[in-house]
Amino acid sequence: MTLLLQYTLIFASVLMLVALGGCYSEHSGVINLGLEGIMVIGALGGALMMRYLPSTLSPVLMVILVILGAVLFGVGYSSLLAFACINLKADQTIVGTALNMLGTAAATVIVKAINTAANPDDVSSTISYVQPKRAFIININGFEFNWFMLIAVVVLVIAYVVLYKTKFGLRMMACGEHPQAANSVGISVYKMRWAGVLISGAFGGLGGICYILAGVSEWKFENGVAGFGFLALAVMIFGQWKPLRIALAALLFGFFRALSNVYVGFDFLLALNIPSAVYNMMPYIISLLVLAFTSKKSRAPKAEGIPYDKSMR
Amino acid sequence: MKKLLKNEGVQSLLASLLCIILGLVIGYIVLLFINPSGAFDAIIDVIKNFFNYSKSALQMKNLGNTLAKTAPLLMCALSVLFCYKVGLFNIGAAGQYVAGACASLYAALAWGWGWLPCLLFAVAAGALLSLIVGLLKAYFNVNEVISGIMLNWIGLYTTNMILNNVKETTSPYTLHLSSANPSAILPSMGLDKLFTNNKYVSIAIPLAILAAILIMIVLDKTKLGFELKATGFNKNAAKYSGMAEKRNIILTLVIGGALAGMGGALMYLTDYEQWMCTVSSVPGMGFNGIAAAFLGGLNPIGTIFASYFIQHITSGGAYVDKTMYCSQISDLISSLIIYLCGFVFFIKYAINLYLARHESKKDTRFTEKELSEVKAKEGGDAE
């Protein structure tokens, strides 16, 4: 039971972080389908930090530096999306998809190169971080508390306050609803959209490192993040682009994702004799059902997906 | 020259070539970072692919291998292209391809069907999977990209579960068609002779090219194609002019799914590869199809060449020096190419801007010339 709670919370944290990232990007008017790729690159940034930092480092410093690595990688990578979609007015769907493929391919190439350089016989794309991982986890009576659970809550509060209570957030949302009107009162739509995409990069990177620290202590980068970026988009839509609702949606999805990890621990679930593949499919099936029921009255930002062209004002 | 540049098709071709060159250059730079000493050889190995063999017989045989994998890729690319023409982004092609693979292999191995029914069953399976996407899009307004991705994973896990029943006892791979059911292998019609008796070369290749031509005719020459494209341009306008816009969305995705499903059959019914029942990520074929469709300038004929090119460098990745680099470098290059394809609109815009500037400059020069003539005349008069 504790295990189920632990996994639910950690997966919910991942989904919430990434979905909040998507929420910022979409409120500024850019659909960020590249979240999956951003997660992979963010995870790579964090994992590289863990690999190269000395294990004698104090846990607090370790946590901070790993997070910094993930955020920086995520922000850097998302600037590829921002540049293409905002400045060059590229199709946001194509660029997002390209970034997803590029993320996994680039991470695989980089990790393999590092592994092979260290040991010519090692051609795997795996980074292991058994020792540094301990800095993130506190064991409370068998419940493994991960710092990311707290970070996710803090990020949620900040995201909510910035979006609804500050001039910056309200202006950003204006750019996603009616960029022409926003521009006419002196708001730079390009700058706001860049900010939205870069923030989504930071949250996406954070979600990525959080995901590979959940449960396992080594990561094979060839596998990417198994569609988690898209699950986060489903969470965002289910949450109707509102931070608090996103948090609740993330808990629901996190629960179903956690089930596939821990269902063997429940006798009555084992007795049902359902193949493990069904549990693996569960989060995706649930998200399809949820989307079917919530997309009809969707409150997506009105101008999302449409490149801003000043001459159209 | 300028007339040529103004041509829409020439612009697309130029943009695609620019994407390829830039993609290769960036790939080369990445290789330089990893290990500068062998980078140039590695990128040349990727480009050369089967030319890495010196004997022409071996070259032809390996060209056959690349072509055998080009056929399914072309089908996936056509699936993406067809849906994109109707304003739908069929990222679910990857899952529909998997569904096709699952249906054709299961029918061949468990029920002992011949190749044609297997192929048709795969087409139906792909169509069924994308029917779900279509229904969700038309009636529930679900974004087809997200539902497509979800179904990719659902399709993958289901396929692993189903094909687990027809796998070899000692390995995670499905049984070999050549031993279990040779009647399900696609006939070669003598094509294998052209490629040094490469038994994987089959009618899959002409079938895929035929599909490309058919798609072009449907899109450009038929009422159905016109209606579908109109729905893609403006759903409400199509509805207003009496077209069944919901039916059109569903029909488009079903056709797209059928194409990708057929791709799955064209891949696995050649017995070139077996399905690994423990595979944990969706095969890249469908995603590479996106690259091929956009690189081909969203033109069915262009897509044939683009599919070959993408498969050429993907296969070429196997020839890099493994002590320094990994074969995924070709995945990196093809994903870079898709990213750059996003700029095609901008590249065309730049070309047109250049042309317009050039023309207006010529105009001013002309008027200057006129002016001087007039002046000369005036001067003459004054004399």
Side-chain angles (χ1 to χ4, degrees):
Chain A
M1 204 63 207
T2 4
L3 212 55
L4 181 62
L5 182 70
Q6 174 193 324
Y7 276 108
T8 302
L9 286 180
I10 192 71
F11 284 128
S13 306
V14 178
L15 287 170
M16 189 158 79
L17 285 169
V18 182
L20 285 173
C23 166
Y24 264 77
S25 173
E26 299 219 348
H27 271 309
S28 77
V30 181
I31 298 181
N32 192 347
L33 280 179
L35 279 172
E36 177 109 353
I38 291 172
M39 279 179 78
V40 175
I41 296 294
L44 176 71
L48 287 180
M49 276 287 185
M50 290 194 278
R51 187 189 150 98
Y52 286 114
L53 286 175
S55 53
T56 47
L57 211 64
S58 80
V60 182
L61 209 57
M62 175 67 101
V63 170
I64 292 173
L65 285 175
V66 168
I67 287 176
L68 207 63
V71 167
L72 283 180
F73 268 56
V75 169
Y77 194 62
S78 65
S79 66
L80 286 177
L81 181 90
F83 175 67
C85 295
I86 301 169
N87 298 81
L88 297 189
K89 302 184 176 61
D91 184 313
Q92 298 176 3
T93 314
I94 303 175
V95 173
T97 308
L99 286 189
N100 291 335
M101 295 170 63
L102 187 61
T104 310
T108 310
V109 167
I110 292 169
V111 175
K112 279 195 173 180
I114 290 170
N115 282 346
T116 317
N119 173 10
D121 295 327
D122 184 2
V123 289
S124 73
S125 60
T126 310
I127 291 184
S128 104
Y129 37 83
V130 183
Q131 190 64 33
K133 193 193 166 189
R134 295 197 184 136
F136 289 86
I137 285 166
I138 300 169
N139 201 325
I140 312 165
N141 293 336
F143 175 81
E144 281 188 354
F145 174 78
N146 192 318
W147 279 114
F148 275 107
M149 296 172 188
L150 185 68
I151 292 169
V153 176
V154 173
V155 166
L156 172 69
V157 174
I158 295 175
Y160 177 83
V161 172
V162 168
L163 205 56
Y164 291 117
K165 308 287 176 195
T166 66
K167 209 155 67 179
F168 170 75
L170 292 168
R171 285 183 171 177
M172 177 185 278
M173 287 205 281
C175 292
E177 294 294 333
H178 200 315
Q180 284 82 3
N183 199 191
S184 73
V185 292
I187 301 170
S188 166
V189 177
Y190 279 16
K191 268 190 202 157
M192 280 299 168
R193 290 196 166 177
W194 262 91
V197 174
L198 292 186
I199 292 172
S200 81
F203 289 179
L206 210 52
I209 186 65
C210 179
Y211 180 60
I212 69 166
L213 280 170
V216 290
S217 45
E218 61 168 33
W219 194 255
K220 192 176 169 198
F221 278 88
E222 243 169 300
N223 286 345
V225 290
F228 240 70
F230 286 95
L231 280 178
L233 283 177
V235 165
M236 178 194 72
I237 295 171
F238 186 39
Q240 294 289 314
W241 291 265
K242 291 180 181 127
L244 295 180
R245 282 200 185 191
I246 285 176
L248 293 177
L251 277 174
L252 177 76
F253 277 62
F255 171 75
F256 282 104
R257 177 61 183 76
L259 261 189
S260 72
N261 270 40
V262 298
Y263 77 96
V264 270
F266 293 91
D267 291 335
F268 73 96
L269 286 179
L270 270 183
L272 290 176
N273 216 0
I274 300 169
S276 69
V278 174
Y279 287 99
N280 285 332
M281 275 189 260
M282 203 76 101
Y284 308 105
I285 294 174
I286 299 290
S287 76
L288 270 188
L289 288 176
V290 158
L291 286 176
F293 286 111
T294 52
S295 293
K296 196 88 190 184
K297 49 177 184 354
S298 127
R299 295 212 185 139
K302 282 209 182 59
E304 69 167 16
I306 308 161
Y308 180 61
D309 190 346
K310 241 183 188 167
S311 60
M312 304 289 273
R313 207 165 89 189
Chain B
M1 175 67 190
K2 260 166 238 146
K3 225 178 193 173
L4 207 64
L5 266 181
K6 264 188 196 164
N7 184 307
E8 180 75 30
V10 174
Q11 284 186 4
S12 299
L13 186 67
L14 274 180
S16 295
L17 287 177
L18 197 65
C19 290
I20 291 176
I21 293 168
L22 279 175
L24 288 172
V25 167
I26 300 173
Y28 174 58
I29 293 171
V30 172
L31 289 176
L32 273 181
F33 270 105
I34 296 172
N35 190 339
S37 62
F40 191 70
D41 290 336
I43 201 89
I44 293 297
D45 285 342
V46 171
I47 298 170
K48 270 164 84 179
N49 182 1
F50 55 86
F51 286 115
N52 279 309
Y53 294 99
S54 50
K55 282 199 191 114
S56 71
L58 268 178
Q59 280 184 3
M60 282 315 273
K61 188 153 195 163
N62 282 282
L63 170 62
N65 284 346
T66 303
L67 284 177
K69 284 183 105 171
T70 303
L73 177 60
L74 176 55
M75 296 308 296
C76 290
L78 288 173
S79 166
V80 174
L81 175 148
F82 188 76
C83 295
Y84 197 79
K85 287 273 182 183
V86 191
L88 297 162
F89 193 72
N90 187 17
I91 202 169
Q96 292 142 21
Y97 167 83
V98 170
C102 174
S104 58
L105 280 177
Y106 194 76
L109 295 171
W111 301 328
W113 290 8
W115 66 272
L116 188 60
C118 283
L119 185 69
L120 295 176
F121 192 49
V123 168
L128 185 72
L129 198 67
S130 65
L131 175 68
I132 303 173
V133 180
L135 289 173
L136 285 172
K137 173 84 183 176
Y139 290 103
F140 297 98
N141 194 26
V142 178
N143 184 323
E144 77 276 9
V145 176
I146 297 176
S147 59
I149 293 278
M150 299 300 151
L151 282 167
N152 283 351
W153 289 97
I154 295 171
L156 180 77
Y157 287 122
T158 313
T159 300
N160 281 345
M161 207 159 62
I162 292 174
L163 290 184
N164 210 24
N165 299 321
V166 289
K167 76 178 183 67
E168 289 171 342
T169 41
T170 50
S171 80
Y173 290 95
T174 51
L175 296 163
H176 259 299
L177 285 178
S178 53
S179 53
N181 179 10
S183 73
I185 295 181
L186 293 170
S188 68
M189 302 265 197
L191 282 170
D192 53 343
K193 302 281 182 302
L194 295 173
F195 297 93
T196 332
N197 286 326
N198 185 334
K199 61 179 176 176
Y200 304 123
V201 177
S202 64
I203 57 164
I205 297 149
L207 271 181
I209 293 176
L210 208 65
I213 296 169
L214 205 66
I215 288 296
M216 189 172 69
I217 294 172
V218 168
L219 277 173
D220 291 347
K221 305 282 179 211
T222 65
K223 185 170 151 244
L224 176 74
F226 179 80
E227 268 202 29
L228 293 183
K229 280 192 288 186
T231 312
F233 275 125
N234 190 333
K235 200 169 76 175
N236 297 327
K239 189 178 176 186
Y240 182 70
S241 47
M243 299 172 187
E245 97 287 4
K246 285 199 167 80
R247 188 209 65 175
N248 285 351
I249 288 174
I250 296 170
L251 189 62
T252 304
L253 280 162
V254 165
I255 294 173
L259 289 167
M262 184 167 149
L266 293 188
M267 178 75 203
Y268 287 93
L269 290 183
T270 57
D271 208 21
Y272 185 57
E273 266 179 24
Q274 300 151 273
W275 182 269
M276 191 173 85
C277 297
T278 51
V279 65
S280 58
S281 57
V282 183
M285 197 61 94
F287 300 118
N288 278 342
I290 301 170
F294 285 102
L295 189 63
L298 292 170
N299 174 308
I301 304 303
T303 302
I304 298 176
F305 295 103
S307 299
Y308 176 74
F309 175 78
I310 295 284
Q311 190 54 49
H312 183 90
I313 57 166
T314 306
S315 302
Y319 296 98
V320 295
D321 185 349
K322 294 278 167 33
T323 57
M324 288 187 258
Y325 312 107
C326 60
S327 58
Q328 273 86 359
I329 190 72
S330 45
D331 292 346
L332 185 81
I333 294 173
S334 53
S335 53
L336 276 170
I337 290 175
I338 312 187
Y339 177 70
L340 294 165
C341 280
F343 298 171
V344 165
F345 173 76
F346 182 78
I347 295 171
K348 283 187 183 169
Y349 173 77
I351 294 177
N352 285 329
L353 200 71
Y354 167 80
L355 286 175
R357 276 211 190 124
H358 217 73
E359 236 147 57
S360 63
K361 218 184 245 171
K362 209 174 77 187
D363 284 350
T364 50
R365 244 185 269 142
F366 186 66
T367 45
E368 269 167 16
K369 201 175 150 198
E370 264 183 339
L371 218 69
S372 61
E373 271 173 10
V374 172
K375 267 185 189 165
K377 251 186 199 168
E378 277 173 353
D381 285 349
E383 260 181 7

